[in-house]
Structures are given as C-alpha cells and as structure tokens.
C-alpha cells in the first residue's frame, strides 16, 4: 500500500492549545507529513467559513502571534521529524518587520512560509528573509492567474509552490478534473514541487491528485471535525486520525 503525502492545515490554538495539540498528534499518527499551522487572523482573504470561524474563536481569547509561535515551537519539539509550515497573512508578518518575523519563525521550528496575500514578485523581502533563516517561501498559484503571470511564477525558481485548485475561498468541495490537472502541470513546468489544496476532503480527491502533486493539502475538513467533536477528546482524536489515513492511502 503506497502513501499519499499530506500537508494538514491547523489553526494554532483552536479551540484551545491543548485540543489543537491533541489534533496535531492525531494528524501525525494518521500520516501527515507536513503540519501547516495558521496564525489566527481577523480578515482572511482566502479562508472559508470553517477556518474563519476557528480564527475568530481563537482571537476572542486574546491570542497573539507570540502564542502561535510558542505553539509551533512545542510541536517542533515533539515532532522534530515533521515539517512545519507557517501560514498567515501579510500584515502579521510585515508589522513586526519581515526579517524579525522570519527569524522568530525559524527559531520556533518553521521550515516554510505560506503568505497568500504577498505576491511572489512583490513580497516585501519575504523570500530573501526566508532564505537567510533556512526557510522556504512558498508562493500561491491560482487558476485565476493570467497565463503570462502563471508562467512567470512557475519559472521563478521556487522550490515549492502552493497551488490553489480553484478560485474563491477554502472549504467548499473541489472537483478534480482535466482543467485542474492541466493547471497543476503548468505550475510544475519550471521544476518547482507543487502542493495542491482547496476543498480536499476525501480519499477519492486525494487519489485523483496523487500522481501530480508533491503533497495534497487539507484544512477545512479537519477544522470541521474539531468543531463537531471538541467536547469529546478521544472521539476527536480518532476522527482526525481516521480522516488523515483516508487521505493518505492510495489503495
């Protein structure tokens, strides 16, 4: 039985740090290769209702960037073998100074940054700051990009690119069809490895993508499981692990 690589998205501190940590353990046990940890943000541009709601709940507790980085540091200490990517939005990274932020993220154990609203060619120095701190900047490609801009991104020399499999926000179901696969081939054209996500929630979708991407990305599906099962920690851990296994097993 071969395994599909999985990048699983998790909102730091949702609904509590303790529960989020239990979920991270279940994700790793279920086969997640990369933990994509989102710092909660008040005005996300790419996140659907599930993730927006999770961010709102965490922010209501007075959660700060320092809390999110402490959560990541704890994860890294327990799972040093698992890649941790930090996902956030430009203002959280830009406000404290991008070099300063990247240094703190790297110290916490982050190896890659995904900042959807910082364009790859106007990134305020993010790529250089990541490189200086041993991290990768992972820009986002979307099907709405013009062919010229997509070509430019694909050939810009990034090690990894996050491909949003459709336009709009996360969380609603995505159909993997010929257009999706053609788009992914264009993203890969310059030699970058590609992560494919947005609306991935079942094994059938994962299998359809497996041969085209470096890893599939799943987020809202796990946030929904957390929301539905947060009052029963054992049931929650079992459900998260089972979903991760479903998404990573090809046959």
């Amino acid at each position: 039985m071969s395994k599909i690589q999985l990048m699983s998205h998790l909102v730091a501190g949702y609904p509590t740090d303790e529960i989020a940590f239990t979920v991270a353990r279940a994700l790793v046990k279920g086969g997640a290769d990369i933990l994509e940890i989102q710092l909660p943000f008040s005005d996300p541009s790419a996140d659907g209702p599930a993730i927006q709601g999770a961010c709102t709940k965490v922010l209501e507790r007075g959660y700060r960037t320092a809390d999110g980085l402490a959560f990541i540091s704890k994860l890294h200490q327990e799972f040093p073998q698992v890649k941790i990517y930090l996902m956030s939005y430009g203002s959280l990274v830009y406000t404290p100074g991008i070099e300063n932020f990247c240094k703190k993220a790297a110290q916490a154990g982050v190896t890659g940054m995904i900042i959807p609203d910082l364009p790859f060619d106007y990134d305020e120095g993010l790529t250089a700051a990541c490189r200086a701190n041993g991290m990768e900047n992972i820009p986002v490609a979307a099907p709405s990009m013009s062919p010229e801009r997509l070509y430019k991104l694909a050939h810009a020399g990034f090690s990894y690119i996050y491909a949003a499999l459709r336009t709009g926000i996360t969380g609603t179901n995505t159909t993997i069809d010929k257009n999706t696969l053609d788009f992914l081939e264009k993203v890969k054209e310059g030699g970058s490895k590609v992560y494919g996500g947005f609306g991935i929630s079942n094994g059938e979708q994962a299998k359809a993508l497996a041969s085209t991407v470096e890893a599939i990305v799943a987020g809202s599906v796990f946030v929904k499981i957390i929301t539905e099962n947060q009052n029963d920690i054992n049931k929650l851990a079992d459900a998260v692990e089972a979903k991760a296994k479903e998404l990573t097993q090809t046959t």
Side-chain angles (χ1 to χ4, degrees):
M1 184 181 285
S2 55
K3 180 183 176 300
I4 298 170
Q5 300 287 300
L6 170 65
M7 183 200 300
S8 54
H9 175 285
L10 189 63
V11 175
Y14 179 69
T16 66
D17 275 27
E18 184 182 0
I19 293 174
F21 208 85
T22 297
V23 171
R25 280 197 182 106
L27 287 167
V28 173
K29 194 175 175 185
D33 305 276
I34 304 165
L35 294 174
E36 179 194 8
I37 308 299
Q38 176 168 352
L39 297 184
F41 188 62
S42 57
D43 298 288
S45 56
D47 300 319
I51 293 174
Q52 280 191 40
C55 286
T56 300
K57 289 287 185 190
V58 179
L59 291 171
E60 284 172 352
R61 300 206 326 260
Y63 210 77
R64 303 179 67 83
T65 296
D67 300 314
L69 291 175
F71 176 76
I72 287 171
S73 180
K74 188 179 173 188
L75 280 180
H76 177 61
Q77 288 166 30
E78 178 150 344
F79 308 113
Q81 79 285 7
V82 177
K83 282 185 179 181
I84 298 177
Y85 291 164
L86 186 153
M87 183 260 159
S88 189
Y89 288 93
S91 65
L92 283 186
V93 179
Y94 183 80
T95 301
I98 284 182
E99 288 184 19
N100 177 41
F101 186 96
C102 286
K103 185 178 180 181
K104 287 182 178 178
Q107 287 171 345
V110 173
T111 56
M113 301 273 284
I114 301 170
I115 313 295
D117 58 344
L118 277 182
F120 72 95
D121 46 356
Y122 294 94
D123 69 1
E124 304 292 346
L126 179 63
T127 300
C130 283
R131 198 171 290 137
N133 288 282
M135 300 187 296
E136 299 282 352
N137 178 29
I138 303 167
V140 177
S144 55
M145 281 181 160
S146 68
E148 296 78 15
R149 188 160 178 75
L150 184 58
Y151 181 90
K152 187 179 176 185
L153 171 55
H155 292 82
F158 289 97
S159 299
Y160 301 96
I161 297 173
Y162 183 125
L165 300 176
R166 55 172 169 71
T167 56
I169 55 175
T170 62
T172 53
N173 197 48
T174 297
T175 302
I176 312 300
D177 56 18
K178 185 179 184 301
N179 289 337
T180 311
L181 299 177
D182 288 348
F183 165 66
L184 288 168
E185 289 300 334
K186 288 174 185 171
V187 179
K188 289 166 61 179
E189 204 173 67
S192 302
K193 294 178 179 178
V194 176
Y195 300 123
F198 260 52
I200 302 304
S201 61
N202 61 60
E204 191 178 327
Q205 292 168 307
K207 290 182 184 70
L209 288 170
S211 63
T212 311
V213 299
E214 175 76 4
I216 62 155
V217 188
S220 293
V221 63
F222 291 116
V223 174
K224 288 171 184 171
I225 292 172
I226 296 168
T227 303
E228 290 164 7
N229 298 283
Q230 59 187 293
N231 295 322
D232 186 336
I233 200 72
N234 292 325
K235 186 179 176 186
L236 170 58
D238 289 345
V240 167
E241 183 184 344
K243 179 56 71 173
K245 285 179 176 175
E246 177 194 337
L247 292 169
T248 56
Q249 302 303 334
T250 55
T251 50

